[in-house]
Amino acid sequence: DVKVTQSSRYLVKRTGEKVFLECVQDMDHENMFWYRQDPGLGLRLIYFSYDVKMKEKGDIPEGYSVSREKKERFSLILESASTNQTSMYLCASSFAGQKYDTQYFGPGTRLTVL
Amino acid sequence: QKEVEQNSGPLSVPEGAIASLNCTYSDRGSQSFFWYRQYSGKSPELIMSIYSNGDKEDGRFTAQLNKASQYVSLLIRDSQPSDSATYLCAVTDSNDYKLSFGAGTTVTVRA
């Protein structure tokens, strides 16, 4: 059974704080992803990684950075949190290659920035 | 960015009826197609994946793909109240691991 876990279900931070969101998968997946989900805007890709130490920008990378030092772990960093980063953050992982590329999601972290 | 459009909801169906969800996509190079179900406050969970034209059935769910028309659909037969959720259509291609999601269609099954 695929398991993707995220470090926190709920997080409250103050404007300007540095925020770390962690994601761990136990299926030896090559690919890992960070999304945010907002009402009316759907799921939007922030960053993804297809290998250790590799990363690519998604559709909305501004204000975020990522780190992937180990295959199973992918971190999302908000360098200086702002109120417009209040959102649900979802991590996902998948194998590489068609027909093996189903993405499996973690439970999500609801971040509130005050 | 690939465009993925879903029919706007909410969709309300009586228990036992068929719920029909539609999705169109803009990129002809798309190769992999997914339907996810998302309950309120929860993360998306995969229901179906489909890669070839035609129908694919799994229990009460049937996914239909027509690449020529750039169209993928999901049918839920014998709808149950537990099917009440938002259904997300997602698309990717073999050269790009990124999923493009539709905005989702919210389904309510009336008992």
Side-chain angles (χ1 to χ4, degrees), chain A residues 9 31 33 35 37 42-43 45 48 50 57-59 88 90 96-108, chain B residues 1 31-32 34 36 38 41-46 49 51-52 67 88 92-94 96-103:
Chain A
R9 289 286 280 126
N31 301 330
F33 307 83
Y35 296 89
Q37 187 174 30
L43 273 151
L45 182 65
F48 74 104
Y50 53 89
K57 292 180 181 179
D59 302 315
M88 170 70 93
L90 291 161
Q98 194 197 10
K99 299 193 179 180
Y100 302 97
D101 55 358
T102 300
Q103 289 189 22
Y104 296 91
F105 285 84
Chain B
Q1 184 182 356
Q31 298 284 336
S32 305
F34 305 90
Y36 285 85
Q38 188 174 24
K42 302 292 187 182
S43 61
E45 57 178 325
L46 181 74
S49 58
Y51 303 93
S52 305
K67 289 185 180 180
L88 303 171
T92 190
D93 65 42
S94 57
D96 183 348
Y97 304 128
K98 296 183 289 186
L99 275 176
S100 294
F101 283 88

Coordinates of all heavy atoms in Angstrom, one line a residue, chain A residues 9 31 33 35 37 42-43 45 48 50 57-59 88 90 96-108, chain B residues 1 31-32 34 36 38 41-46 49 51-52 67 88 92-94 96-103:
Chain A
R9 N -0.8 18.2 9.8 CA -2.1 18.4 9.1 C -2.6 19.8 9.2 O -3.2 20.3 8.2 CB -3.1 17.5 9.9 CG -2.9 16.0 9.7 CD -3.4 15.6 8.3 NE -4.8 15.4 8.2 CZ -5.6 16.0 7.3 NH1 -5.1 16.8 6.4 NH2 -6.9 15.8 7.3
N31 N 9.5 10.3 -8.7 CA 8.9 11.7 -8.8 C 8.2 12.1 -7.5 O 7.5 11.3 -6.9 CB 7.9 11.7 -9.9 CG 8.5 11.4 -11.3 OD1 9.7 11.6 -11.5 ND2 7.7 10.8 -12.1
F33 N 6.0 15.7 -5.9 CA 5.4 16.9 -6.3 C 4.8 17.7 -5.1 O 4.4 17.1 -4.1 CB 4.2 16.6 -7.2 CG 4.5 15.7 -8.4 CD1 4.5 14.3 -8.2 CD2 4.7 16.2 -9.6 CE1 4.8 13.5 -9.2 CE2 5.0 15.4 -10.7 CZ 5.1 14.0 -10.5
Y35 N 1.8 20.6 -4.5 CA 0.7 21.4 -5.0 C 0.1 22.2 -3.9 O 0.2 21.9 -2.7 CB -0.5 20.4 -5.5 CG -0.2 19.5 -6.6 CD1 0.4 18.2 -6.4 CD2 -0.4 19.9 -7.9 CE1 0.6 17.4 -7.4 CE2 -0.2 19.0 -9.0 CZ 0.3 17.8 -8.7 OH 0.6 16.9 -9.8
Q37 N -3.9 23.9 -3.1 CA -5.3 23.8 -3.6 C -6.1 24.9 -2.9 O -6.1 25.0 -1.7 CB -5.9 22.4 -3.2 CG -7.3 22.2 -3.8 CD -7.8 20.8 -3.6 OE1 -7.4 20.2 -2.6 NE2 -8.6 20.3 -4.6
G42 N -8.6 25.2 -7.9 CA -8.2 23.8 -8.1 C -6.8 23.5 -7.6 O -6.3 24.3 -6.8
L43 N -6.2 22.5 -8.1 CA -4.9 22.1 -7.7 C -3.9 22.7 -8.7 O -4.0 22.6 -9.9 CB -4.7 20.6 -7.8 CG -5.1 19.8 -6.6 CD1 -5.6 18.4 -7.0 CD2 -4.0 19.6 -5.7
L45 N 0.4 23.2 -9.4 CA 1.7 22.6 -9.1 C 2.7 23.7 -8.8 O 2.8 24.7 -9.5 CB 2.2 21.9 -10.4 CG 3.5 21.2 -10.2 CD1 3.5 20.1 -9.2 CD2 4.0 20.6 -11.6
F48 N 8.2 20.3 -8.7 CA 8.3 18.9 -8.6 C 9.8 18.4 -8.8 O 10.6 19.2 -9.2 CB 7.4 18.2 -9.7 CG 7.9 18.3 -11.1 CD1 8.5 17.2 -11.7 CD2 7.7 19.5 -11.8 CE1 8.9 17.3 -13.0 CE2 8.1 19.6 -13.1 CZ 8.7 18.5 -13.7
Y50 N 12.2 15.0 -10.0 CA 12.2 13.7 -10.7 C 13.4 12.8 -10.3 O 13.6 11.7 -10.8 CB 12.1 13.8 -12.2 CG 13.2 14.7 -12.8 CD1 14.4 14.2 -13.1 CD2 12.9 16.1 -12.9 CE1 15.4 15.1 -13.6 CE2 13.9 16.9 -13.4 CZ 15.1 16.4 -13.8 OH 16.1 17.3 -14.3
K57 N 10.5 23.9 -11.6 CA 9.4 24.8 -11.3 C 8.1 24.3 -11.9 O 8.1 23.8 -13.0 CB 9.7 26.2 -11.7 CG 10.9 26.8 -11.0 CD 11.1 28.2 -11.5 CE 12.3 28.9 -10.8 NZ 12.6 30.2 -11.3
G58 N 7.1 24.4 -11.1 CA 5.7 24.2 -11.6 C 5.1 25.4 -12.2 O 5.8 26.3 -12.7
D59 N 3.8 25.6 -11.9 CA 3.1 26.7 -12.5 C 3.2 27.9 -11.6 O 3.0 29.1 -12.0 CB 1.7 26.3 -12.7 CG 1.5 25.2 -13.7 OD1 2.2 25.2 -14.7 OD2 0.8 24.2 -13.4
M88 N -4.3 24.9 1.3 CA -4.0 23.5 1.6 C -2.9 23.1 0.7 O -2.9 23.3 -0.5 CB -5.3 22.7 1.2 CG -5.0 21.2 1.2 SD -4.8 20.5 2.8 CE -6.5 20.1 3.2
L90 N -0.6 20.0 -0.7 CA -0.6 18.6 -1.0 C 0.7 18.1 -1.6 O 1.1 18.7 -2.6 CB -1.8 18.3 -1.9 CG -3.2 18.4 -1.3 CD1 -4.2 18.5 -2.4 CD2 -3.5 17.3 -0.4
A96 N 8.3 6.9 -12.4 CA 8.5 7.5 -13.7 C 8.0 6.6 -14.8 O 8.0 5.4 -14.6 CB 9.9 7.8 -13.9
G97 N 7.5 7.1 -15.9 CA 7.1 6.2 -17.0 C 5.6 6.0 -17.1 O 4.9 5.9 -16.1
Q98 N 5.1 6.0 -18.3 CA 3.7 5.9 -18.5 C 3.2 4.6 -18.0 O 3.9 3.6 -18.1 CB 3.4 6.1 -20.0 CG 1.9 6.3 -20.3 CD 1.5 6.0 -21.7 OE1 2.3 5.5 -22.5 NE2 0.3 6.4 -22.1
K99 N 2.0 4.6 -17.5 CA 1.3 3.4 -17.0 C 1.8 3.1 -15.6 O 1.3 2.2 -15.0 CB 1.3 2.2 -17.9 CG 0.6 2.5 -19.2 CD 0.4 1.2 -20.0 CE -0.3 1.6 -21.3 NZ -0.6 0.4 -22.1
Y100 N 2.8 3.8 -15.2 CA 3.3 3.7 -13.8 C 3.3 5.0 -13.1 O 3.9 5.2 -12.1 CB 4.7 3.1 -13.7 CG 4.8 1.8 -14.4 CD1 5.2 1.6 -15.7 CD2 4.4 0.6 -13.7 CE1 5.3 0.4 -16.3 CE2 4.5 -0.6 -14.4 CZ 4.9 -0.7 -15.6 OH 5.0 -1.9 -16.3
D101 N 2.6 6.0 -13.8 CA 2.8 7.4 -13.4 C 1.6 7.9 -12.5 O 1.5 9.1 -12.4 CB 3.0 8.3 -14.6 CG 1.9 8.1 -15.6 OD1 0.9 7.3 -15.4 OD2 1.9 8.8 -16.6
T102 N 0.8 7.0 -12.0 CA -0.2 7.5 -11.1 C 0.4 8.2 -9.9 O 1.3 7.7 -9.3 CB -1.0 6.3 -10.6 OG1 -1.6 5.6 -11.7 CG2 -2.1 6.7 -9.6
Q103 N -0.2 9.4 -9.6 CA 0.3 10.1 -8.5 C -0.5 9.8 -7.3 O -1.8 9.8 -7.3 CB 0.2 11.6 -8.8 CG 1.3 12.1 -9.8 CD 1.4 13.6 -9.9 OE1 1.0 14.3 -9.0 NE2 1.9 14.0 -11.0
Y104 N 0.1 9.6 -6.2 CA -0.5 9.3 -4.9 C -0.3 10.4 -3.9 O 0.9 10.9 -3.8 CB 0.1 8.0 -4.3 CG -0.2 6.8 -5.1 CD1 0.7 6.4 -6.1 CD2 -1.4 6.0 -5.0 CE1 0.5 5.3 -6.9 CE2 -1.6 4.9 -5.8 CZ -0.7 4.6 -6.8 OH -1.0 3.5 -7.6
F105 N -1.3 10.9 -3.3 CA -1.3 12.1 -2.5 C -1.2 11.8 -1.0 O -1.7 10.8 -0.5 CB -2.6 12.9 -2.7 CG -2.6 13.6 -4.1 CD1 -3.0 12.9 -5.2 CD2 -2.2 14.9 -4.2 CE1 -3.0 13.6 -6.4 CE2 -2.1 15.6 -5.4 CZ -2.5 14.9 -6.5
G106 N -0.5 12.7 -0.3 CA -0.5 12.7 1.1 C -1.8 13.3 1.6 O -2.6 13.8 0.9
P107 N -2.0 13.3 3.0 CA -3.2 13.8 3.6 C -3.4 15.3 3.5 O -4.5 15.8 3.7 CB -3.1 13.4 5.0 CG -1.6 13.2 5.3 CD -1.0 12.8 4.0
G108 N -2.3 16.1 3.2 CA -2.4 17.5 3.1 C -2.0 18.2 4.3 O -2.2 17.7 5.5
Chain B
Q1 N 0.8 25.7 -20.4 CA 0.1 24.8 -19.5 C -1.1 24.1 -20.2 O -1.8 24.7 -20.9 CB -0.4 25.6 -18.3 CG -1.1 24.7 -17.2 CD -1.6 25.6 -16.1 OE1 -1.4 26.8 -16.0 NE2 -2.2 24.9 -15.1
Q31 N -1.2 11.6 -22.8 CA -1.2 10.1 -22.9 C -1.8 9.4 -21.8 O -2.3 8.3 -21.9 CB 0.3 9.7 -23.0 CG 1.1 10.2 -24.2 CD 0.7 9.4 -25.4 OE1 0.3 8.3 -25.4 NE2 0.9 10.1 -26.6
S32 N -1.8 10.0 -20.6 CA -2.3 9.4 -19.4 C -3.4 10.2 -18.8 O -3.3 11.4 -18.8 CB -1.2 9.2 -18.4 OG -0.1 8.5 -18.9
F34 N -6.6 10.4 -15.7 CA -6.9 9.9 -14.4 C -8.1 10.6 -13.9 O -8.4 11.8 -14.2 CB -5.7 10.3 -13.4 CG -4.4 9.8 -13.8 CD1 -3.6 10.6 -14.6 CD2 -3.9 8.5 -13.4 CE1 -2.3 10.1 -15.0 CE2 -2.7 8.1 -13.9 CZ -1.9 8.9 -14.6
Y36 N -9.7 11.3 -10.1 CA -9.5 11.3 -8.6 C -10.8 11.7 -7.9 O -11.6 12.5 -8.4 CB -8.4 12.3 -8.2 CG -7.0 11.9 -8.5 CD1 -6.4 12.1 -9.7 CD2 -6.2 11.2 -7.5 CE1 -5.1 11.7 -10.0 CE2 -4.9 10.8 -7.8 CZ -4.4 11.1 -9.0 OH -3.1 10.7 -9.3
Q38 N -12.2 13.3 -4.4 CA -11.8 14.1 -3.2 C -13.0 14.4 -2.3 O -13.9 15.2 -2.7 CB -11.1 15.4 -3.6 CG -10.4 16.1 -2.5 CD -9.6 17.3 -2.9 OE1 -9.8 17.9 -3.9 NE2 -8.6 17.7 -2.1
G41 N -12.3 18.2 2.7 CA -11.3 18.2 3.7 C -10.2 17.1 3.6 O -9.3 17.0 4.5
K42 N -10.4 16.3 2.6 CA -9.4 15.2 2.4 C -8.6 15.4 1.2 O -8.8 16.3 0.4 CB -10.2 13.8 2.3 CG -11.0 13.5 3.5 CD -10.2 13.3 4.7 CE -11.1 12.8 5.9 NZ -10.3 12.5 7.1
S43 N -7.6 14.6 1.0 CA -6.7 14.7 -0.2 C -7.3 13.8 -1.4 O -8.1 12.9 -1.1 CB -5.3 14.2 0.1 OG -5.3 12.9 0.5
P44 N -6.9 14.1 -2.6 CA -7.5 13.3 -3.7 C -7.0 11.8 -3.6 O -5.9 11.5 -3.3 CB -6.9 14.0 -4.9 CG -6.5 15.3 -4.5 CD -6.1 15.2 -3.1
E45 N -7.9 10.9 -4.0 CA -7.6 9.5 -4.1 C -7.9 9.0 -5.5 O -9.0 9.4 -6.1 CB -8.3 8.7 -3.0 CG -9.8 8.8 -3.1 CD -10.5 7.9 -2.0 OE1 -9.9 6.8 -1.7 OE2 -11.5 8.3 -1.5
L46 N -7.1 8.2 -6.1 CA -7.2 7.7 -7.4 C -8.4 6.8 -7.5 O -8.5 5.8 -6.7 CB -6.0 7.0 -7.9 CG -6.0 6.5 -9.3 CD1 -5.9 7.7 -10.3 CD2 -4.9 5.5 -9.6
S49 N -7.5 5.1 -13.8 CA -6.5 5.6 -14.8 C -6.8 4.9 -16.1 O -7.3 3.8 -16.2 CB -5.1 5.2 -14.4 OG -4.9 3.8 -14.2
Y51 N -5.4 4.8 -20.4 CA -4.4 5.2 -21.3 C -4.7 5.0 -22.8 O -4.1 5.5 -23.7 CB -3.1 4.4 -21.0 CG -2.6 4.5 -19.6 CD1 -3.0 3.6 -18.6 CD2 -1.8 5.6 -19.2 CE1 -2.6 3.8 -17.3 CE2 -1.4 5.8 -17.9 CZ -1.8 4.9 -16.9 OH -1.4 5.0 -15.6
S52 N -5.7 4.1 -23.1 CA -6.1 3.8 -24.4 C -7.5 4.2 -24.7 O -8.4 4.2 -23.8 CB -5.9 2.3 -24.7 OG -4.6 1.8 -24.3
K67 N -9.4 9.9 -27.7 CA -8.3 10.9 -27.9 C -8.6 11.8 -29.1 O -8.1 12.9 -29.1 CB -7.0 10.1 -28.1 CG -6.5 9.5 -26.8 CD -5.2 8.8 -27.0 CE -4.6 8.2 -25.8 NZ -3.3 7.6 -26.0
L88 N -12.1 14.9 -9.7 CA -11.1 15.7 -10.5 C -10.5 14.9 -11.6 O -10.2 13.7 -11.5 CB -9.9 16.0 -9.5 CG -10.2 16.8 -8.2 CD1 -8.9 16.8 -7.4 CD2 -10.6 18.2 -8.6
T92 N -1.8 13.9 -18.2 CA -0.4 14.2 -18.4 C 0.1 13.5 -19.7 O -0.7 12.8 -20.3 CB 0.4 13.7 -17.2 OG1 1.8 14.1 -17.3 CG2 0.5 12.2 -17.1
D93 N 1.3 13.7 -20.1 CA 1.9 13.0 -21.2 C 3.1 12.3 -20.9 O 3.7 12.4 -19.8 CB 2.0 14.0 -22.4 CG 3.1 15.0 -22.1 OD1 4.2 14.7 -21.6 OD2 2.9 16.2 -22.5
S94 N 3.6 11.5 -21.8 CA 4.7 10.6 -21.5 C 6.0 11.3 -21.3 O 7.0 10.8 -20.7 CB 4.9 9.5 -22.6 OG 5.1 10.1 -23.8
D96 N 6.3 14.3 -19.8 CA 6.1 15.4 -18.8 C 5.3 14.7 -17.6 O 4.2 14.4 -17.7 CB 5.2 16.5 -19.4 CG 5.1 17.7 -18.5 OD1 5.3 17.5 -17.3 OD2 4.6 18.7 -19.0
Y97 N 6.0 14.7 -16.5 CA 5.4 14.0 -15.4 C 4.3 14.8 -14.7 O 3.7 14.4 -13.8 CB 6.5 13.6 -14.4 CG 7.5 12.8 -15.0 CD1 8.9 13.1 -14.9 CD2 7.2 11.6 -15.7 CE1 9.9 12.3 -15.4 CE2 8.2 10.8 -16.3 CZ 9.5 11.2 -16.1 OH 10.5 10.4 -16.7
K98 N 4.2 16.1 -15.1 CA 3.3 17.0 -14.4 C 1.9 16.7 -14.8 O 1.5 16.5 -15.9 CB 3.6 18.4 -14.8 CG 5.0 18.9 -14.3 CD 5.2 20.3 -14.6 CE 5.4 20.6 -16.1 NZ 5.7 22.0 -16.4
L99 N 1.0 16.6 -13.8 CA -0.4 16.5 -14.0 C -1.1 17.8 -14.1 O -0.7 18.8 -13.4 CB -1.1 15.8 -12.8 CG -1.1 14.2 -12.7 CD1 -1.7 13.8 -11.4 CD2 -1.8 13.6 -13.9
S100 N -2.0 17.9 -15.1 CA -2.8 19.1 -15.2 C -4.2 18.7 -14.7 O -4.8 17.7 -15.2 CB -2.9 19.6 -16.6 OG -1.6 20.1 -17.0
F101 N -4.7 19.4 -13.8 CA -6.0 19.1 -13.2 C -7.1 20.0 -13.7 O -6.9 21.2 -13.9 CB -6.0 19.2 -11.7 CG -5.3 18.1 -10.9 CD1 -3.9 18.2 -10.7 CD2 -6.0 17.0 -10.5 CE1 -3.3 17.2 -10.1 CE2 -5.3 16.0 -9.8 CZ -4.0 16.1 -9.6
G102 N -8.3 19.4 -13.8 CA -9.5 20.2 -14.0 C -9.9 20.8 -12.6 O -9.4 20.4 -11.6
A103 N -10.9 21.7 -12.7 CA -11.3 22.4 -11.5 C -12.2 21.5 -10.6 O -12.4 21.7 -9.4 CB -12.1 23.6 -11.8

